[in-house]
Amino acid sequence: MKTLVLAEKPSVGKDIARVLGCRGGGNGYMEGPKHVVTWALGHLVTLADPEEYDPAYKSWNINHLPIMPDVLRLTVIPQTAKQYKVVKDLLLRKDVSGIVIATDAGREGELVARWIIEKAKCNKPIKRLWISSVTDKAIREGFQNLKDGKFYLGLRDSAKARAEADWLVGINATRCLTTKFNSQLSCGRVQTPTLAIIVKREEEIRKFVPTPYYGLAASASAFRLNWLDDKTGNTRCFDKKKVDGVLVKLKGMREGTVSDVSKTRKMKHPPKLYDLTELQRDASKRYGFSPKETLAITQRLYEAHKVLTYPRTDSRYLSSDIVPTIPERLRACQVPPYAKMCGEVLRRGIRTNANFVDNAKVSDHHAIIPTEHPLDLRALDERERKVYDLVITRFLSVFYPPFEYEKVSVKVKIGGEIFAANGKVVLNQGYQAVYNYDDDDDDDEGVEQKLPSLNRGDKVSIKDIKMTEGKTSPPAPFNDATLLSAMENPAKYMESKDKMLADTLSKTGGLGTVATRADIIEKLFDNFVIEKRGKDILSTSKGRQLLELVPKDLKSPELTGNWEQRLSSISEGKAKKDEFLRGIRKYTQELIAEIKGSTHVFKHDNLSTTKCPECGMFMLKVAGKKGEMLVCQDRECNSRINVSMSIRSKCPHCHKWLSIVGEGDNRHIVCACGFKEKYASFEKRKAAERNVMSKREIEAFMGKLNEKDKNDDNPFAALKGMKF
């Protein structure tokens, strides 16, 4: 008898098959003496659409709502039906005695496998493979420690409850809004509160009234001092008359006396390891990658290159059982430009602390770190190297000592008024020696300068004293990085001050999960309820109107907090799936009744003069994430025409982002500054630029060349395989 192993993707399935010695097989599976390994292609099975319950539901009709079948059916996804048949036949094979679920180790991965098994009506014994990387070593150890499938029944029920609840609310609310207001309007318990957060920030910006403030700056011979308000101790004062009076008082003053010098030794610990959201934030800030791009890149580094651990994690810590594997992981990364740093950590010995090792803070998966698989930087493309560099740099930094510095504060009395200056003296570079960029973004010490050696009572020569002025700034619009942060910590956007709900939202990761946030943001772009202007993410008129039409609690993070609270209880075996879904059905009925009774009106305010080539109706001009397009206003037609598309390339003249306009042979690259270039010429120019080695490639090449010089009589041997 054999065991069937069900993986989530072909690449992972083939890795498992190789480790288990499965060399035979057929289309869609591999087979060995003891195992048959097959795979899904993501989801093969999903919840059936309404029309599968009744053909009448093909036509969206408000009178059909709410649609609430007694039992939600499963259906095979047509695009992957061929692979489902392969998996089903293997599940039901007479010589297969048991199943190992080897899909991604999390709620969604559990659902992928359980739905396939349920749809195939297979009742064979189940075991679970739970691993965080797909290296050969991790796979072998995972199969030596398989768990009984019954330990994951709570996770299964939680996953099913979440999917069915989202179907009941999402399908009904979306159909009701769309038919009631005759426009394609989509809503959901995560996407709608996310849109509400964006709109709330825009309202804060719109209502913000800048307040002027004033200060005084004194220039000494080698440094600058700022006046401190005697009442508030701040450098900003909102009373101009007061500042004018002080300036008049100090007119002609050319000397001050040091009244106080304080030196405080400070220490900054390395930042925590990456979870997916933090990695997406940093990749957005440093390289402009969207959350979805970062997830796709990290997934390739995990699956295809096997150099990073499982990316869809919400933990920033390691469990203690990972610690013995750290030396091997460091040796695997010991190639230029990381060789020196890895070697230094290995020589000093691995020292762990609660800043990055904490069993209590690791749930399904630990933080994203390098694997024991040998690193070959040449196999990675430029974007993969950038994301890998973020992870390896963060990983190395936790083994270095804290960054230590001395904060120097000097107070100088000038004509009875106190002026102050701050300085910083680095005592130990510590972990910051690992970074090739400034990792001090969140430093709250203010602007520091190099200060001369001063003692109390010293005289300071003053060149001049000038008034400074400015205005208070509104909060910044969201970008990819800050929107991810808001989704992760949405408690401040809750109207209720329920601390338990806020705590639940915090513990469960906020709106969405680390694995779904990128898709939620993409869906908002695809539905044209948000758009990008530069890096800023802003709502559209459609998005703002949608929030007026959606029932109040569907746009609040509290709904997700309530759901996640109960889903967690189901996962832990403390609550029942059926009881949760009974409440969801009742809530759906109330939701639909509220939408049907709405007196609001929806109006398109972005009509163009272009008629749809399919149905003849005037098209809507919308700003998608990648550029402008025309979309038919008829929700059943939904024809689209691209007007312009932004590309990840900058103008050679003004260095702003370029766009593609036109179609086919008439495509051109254009910039707001007036630059224009034929698309074919642009492609030729970029291809030539891609042949130039990057700084990272040069560093890796030189490191390899130096190594060859030591060990090889032929100094040009390192050129083999290099692309110039």
Side-chain angles (χ1 to χ4, degrees):
M1 300 299 282
K2 296 184 178 183
T3 299
L4 180 72
V5 181
L6 176 57
E8 190 160 332
K9 293 181 181 176
S11 58
V12 177
K14 289 170 184 177
D15 286 332
I16 291 172
R18 179 174 42 77
V19 172
L20 295 177
C22 301
R23 294 180 177 83
N27 190 13
Y29 72 98
M30 298 185 76
E31 189 164 356
K34 297 180 180 179
H35 298 88
V36 182
V37 180
T38 188
W39 44 81
L41 301 169
H43 280 281
L44 298 181
V45 174
T46 189
L47 293 171
D49 288 330
E51 48 265 37
E52 294 192 40
Y53 296 92
D54 188 335
Y57 294 154
K58 284 184 180 179
S59 173
W60 287 27
N61 187 325
I62 198 168
N63 296 319
H64 292 154
L65 304 175
I67 299 169
M68 287 198 293
D70 293 336
V71 177
L72 294 187
R73 299 177 195 164
L74 295 174
T75 188
V76 177
I77 298 171
Q79 295 88 336
T80 54
K82 186 176 177 181
Q83 182 61 18
Y84 168 74
K85 187 177 185 309
V86 170
V87 177
K88 178 183 177 182
D89 290 345
L90 293 171
L91 283 166
L92 301 179
R93 242 171 65 170
K94 290 183 179 179
D95 64 335
V96 169
S97 60
I99 304 162
V100 171
I101 294 178
T103 48
D104 285 354
R107 187 164 73 182
E108 201 60 26
E110 195 71 21
L111 192 63
V112 167
R114 298 287 184 163
W115 268 355
I116 293 170
I117 294 167
E118 183 179 332
K119 181 64 177 172
K121 297 180 180 176
C122 179
N123 297 310
K124 293 174 182 177
I126 294 173
K127 293 203 170 184
R128 190 53 160 107
L129 176 72
W130 197 270
I131 56 176
S132 292
S133 64
V134 288
T135 62
D136 290 6
K137 181 182 176 184
I139 292 168
R140 279 193 294 268
E141 289 179 353
F143 271 90
Q144 289 167 7
N145 295 282
L146 292 173
K147 298 286 194 305
D148 193 304
K150 68 182 180 183
F151 293 115
Y152 298 91
L153 293 179
L155 186 64
R156 176 203 66 184
D157 289 346
S158 172
K160 285 184 176 182
R162 193 275 311 156
E164 292 187 19
D166 278 336
W167 190 97
L168 289 165
V169 172
I171 289 281
N172 283 290
T174 295
R175 285 195 173 210
C176 197
L177 286 166
T178 299
T179 52
K180 170 77 176 179
F181 301 105
N182 194 30
S183 180
Q184 189 63 56
L185 300 171
S186 176
C187 67
R189 69 175 177 96
V190 177
Q191 57 173 303
T192 311
T194 302
L195 173 61
I197 285 173
I198 295 168
V199 171
K200 185 173 182 179
R201 171 60 57 88
E202 290 173 359
E203 287 175 0
E204 290 171 359
I205 295 170
R206 190 167 54 254
K207 291 176 181 177
F208 184 84
V209 179
T211 305
Y213 60 83
Y214 309 90
L216 296 171
S219 297
S221 56
F223 61 103
R224 174 184 164 118
L225 297 128
N226 291 305
W227 171 71
L228 297 180
D229 188 327
D230 57 355
K231 286 188 177 179
T232 65
N234 293 327
T235 57
R236 293 181 179 185
C237 179
F238 296 97
D239 185 349
K240 188 174 185 296
K241 287 183 180 179
K242 180 176 182 178
V243 178
D244 281 333
V246 174
L247 186 60
V248 170
K249 173 184 171 184
L250 300 179
K251 188 175 182 181
M253 291 284 180
R254 291 293 178 265
E255 188 178 77
T257 303
V258 176
S259 61
D260 185 58
V261 177
S262 66
K263 296 180 180 180
T264 309
R265 194 180 180 103
K266 295 212 166 191
M267 185 183 291
K268 187 177 179 184
H269 290 279
K272 289 181 172 56
L273 295 167
Y274 280 121
D275 63 3
L276 178 59
T277 301
E278 182 71 6
L279 180 59
Q280 287 170 320
R281 273 196 290 259
D282 270 9
S284 174
K285 285 191 289 187
R286 302 205 185 283
Y287 305 122
F289 295 164
S290 73
K292 191 163 187 176
E293 284 177 299
T294 302
L295 175 55
I297 294 166
T298 315
Q299 195 74 23
R300 288 200 301 274
L301 291 167
Y302 162 67
E303 283 182 10
H305 300 292
K306 302 177 180 54
V307 293
L308 292 185
T309 56
Y310 185 68
R312 297 166 189 257
T313 176
D314 59 359
S315 176
R316 301 185 66 184
Y317 294 84
L318 302 178
S319 51
S320 55
D321 61 318
I322 298 297
V323 173
T325 71
I326 289 174
E328 191 175 351
R329 295 172 193 270
L330 288 167
R331 284 191 287 271
C333 307
Q334 212 166 359
V335 300
Y338 312 114
K340 184 178 177 182
M341 292 178 286
C342 290
E344 188 177 331
V345 174
L346 287 166
R347 279 193 299 275
R348 285 202 310 258
I350 305 301
R351 296 181 185 134
T352 63
N353 58 63
N355 191 49
F356 69 97
V357 177
D358 189 335
N359 291 340
K361 293 180 180 176
V362 178
S363 51
D364 292 343
H365 295 283
H366 57 68
I368 304 170
I369 60 172
T371 66
E372 305 96 324
H373 190 79
L375 171 66
D376 181 3
L377 277 176
R378 294 171 300 176
L380 310 184
D381 65 30
E382 182 187 0
R383 291 159 72 198
E384 289 167 345
R385 282 198 297 273
K386 284 177 176 177
V387 172
Y388 182 82
D389 186 73
L390 287 173
V391 176
I392 180 63
T393 304
R394 182 66 64 93
F395 179 62
L396 286 168
S397 73
V398 300
F399 303 110
Y400 276 70
F403 170 64
E404 296 181 64
Y405 63 97
E406 189 174 64
K407 182 185 175 185
V408 183
S409 296
V410 174
K411 289 183 180 177
V412 176
K413 188 173 281 190
I414 306 172
E417 298 291 331
I418 300 296
F419 285 71
N422 291 328
K424 180 192 284 185
V425 178
V426 176
L427 303 175
N428 182 359
Q429 197 71 15
Y431 79 88
Q432 290 202 356
V434 175
Y435 287 87
N436 57 9
Y437 49 79
D438 182 16
D439 187 52
D440 211 21
D441 293 345
D442 60 348
D443 192 356
D444 61 356
E445 301 299 332
V447 178
E448 267 108 5
Q449 53 192 316
K450 191 171 182 178
L451 298 177
S453 179
L454 294 168
N455 295 302
R456 191 169 183 175
D458 287 353
K459 300 297 180 183
V460 176
S461 176
I462 303 298
K463 292 181 180 180
D464 62 29
I465 301 174
K466 293 181 179 178
M467 180 183 285
T468 59
E469 23 185 321
K471 289 183 178 180
T472 54
S473 301
F478 284 116
N479 54 41
D480 283 323
T482 55
L483 182 56
L484 283 170
S485 297
M487 292 177 76
E488 188 178 34
N489 299 291
K492 70 177 182 178
Y493 300 96
M494 290 169 52
E495 292 189 10
S496 162
K497 300 303 176 186
D498 189 322
K499 290 185 178 179
M500 188 176 291
L501 269 180
D503 186 52
T504 299
L505 271 170
S506 175
K507 286 180 180 177
T508 55
L511 288 171
T513 66
V514 290
T516 61
R517 286 190 195 112
D519 285 334
I520 293 297
I521 295 171
E522 289 293 318
K523 192 169 185 177
L524 292 171
F525 279 115
D526 291 342
N527 290 329
F528 308 115
V529 294
I530 62 172
E531 62 185 11
K532 262 197 175 180
R533 294 181 199 164
K535 290 186 177 181
D536 295 343
I537 296 175
L538 304 169
S539 66
T540 64
S541 170
K542 180 181 180 180
R544 293 188 292 275
Q545 287 189 77
L546 175 61
L547 287 182
E548 294 294 321
L549 309 176
V550 170
K552 184 178 178 181
D553 58 342
L554 196 55
K555 53 190 175 186
S556 168
E558 293 170 85
L559 181 65
T560 284
N562 272 312
W563 281 29
E564 289 299 342
Q565 203 171 40
R566 300 182 69 185
L567 290 170
S568 293
S569 295
I570 293 168
S571 183
E572 294 164 7
K574 297 176 183 175
K576 298 294 183 183
K577 174 174 79 86
D578 292 344
E579 185 181 339
F580 168 72
L581 288 173
R582 276 195 294 274
I584 294 297
R585 287 171 179 272
K586 183 180 178 183
Y587 170 72
T588 303
Q589 289 175 324
E590 294 168 352
L591 195 67
I592 298 309
E594 186 174 343
I595 296 172
K596 284 182 176 181
S598 172
T599 57
H600 287 286
V601 176
F602 181 86
K603 182 181 179 182
H604 292 298
D605 60 359
N606 56 339
L607 280 172
S608 72
T609 55
T610 303
K611 288 188 175 182
C612 174
E614 300 295 329
C615 68
M617 293 186 74
F618 285 109
M619 303 189 82
L620 306 172
K621 190 173 184 179
V622 298
K625 187 178 180 183
K626 296 182 179 178
E628 288 189 348
M629 63 175 69
L630 296 172
V631 178
C632 184
Q633 62 175 299
D634 187 335
R635 60 184 176 83
E636 293 186 359
C637 175
N638 205 28
S639 179
R640 299 185 178 195
I641 300 173
N642 284 324
V643 176
S644 69
M645 182 180 294
S646 301
I647 56 174
R648 192 180 291 282
S649 190
K650 291 187 177 181
C651 174
H653 294 176
C654 70
H655 305 293
K656 291 181 179 178
W657 294 110
L658 294 168
S659 297
I660 302 175
V661 298
E663 295 182 354
D665 295 337
N666 293 322
R667 284 180 298 172
H668 281 79
I669 302 296
V670 299
C671 177
C673 74
F675 171 77
K676 189 175 182 180
E677 181 179 20
K678 285 187 176 180
Y679 184 75
S681 300
F682 167 79
E683 282 284 270
K684 189 175 180 180
R685 178 167 60 83
K686 296 306 289 183
E689 289 175 6
R690 283 193 289 269
N691 286 330
V692 179
M693 291 178 73
S694 69
K695 182 180 176 182
R696 182 71 77 193
E697 287 173 322
I698 293 170
E699 289 176 356
F701 169 69
M702 292 305 296
K704 190 167 185 179
L705 190 62
N706 291 335
E707 192 175 324
K708 288 284 182 183
D709 281 340
K710 293 177 186 177
N711 304 310
D712 200 325
D713 291 335
N714 177 12
F716 297 101
L719 293 171
K720 186 178 180 182
M722 296 296 293
K723 293 181 180 179
F724 295 90

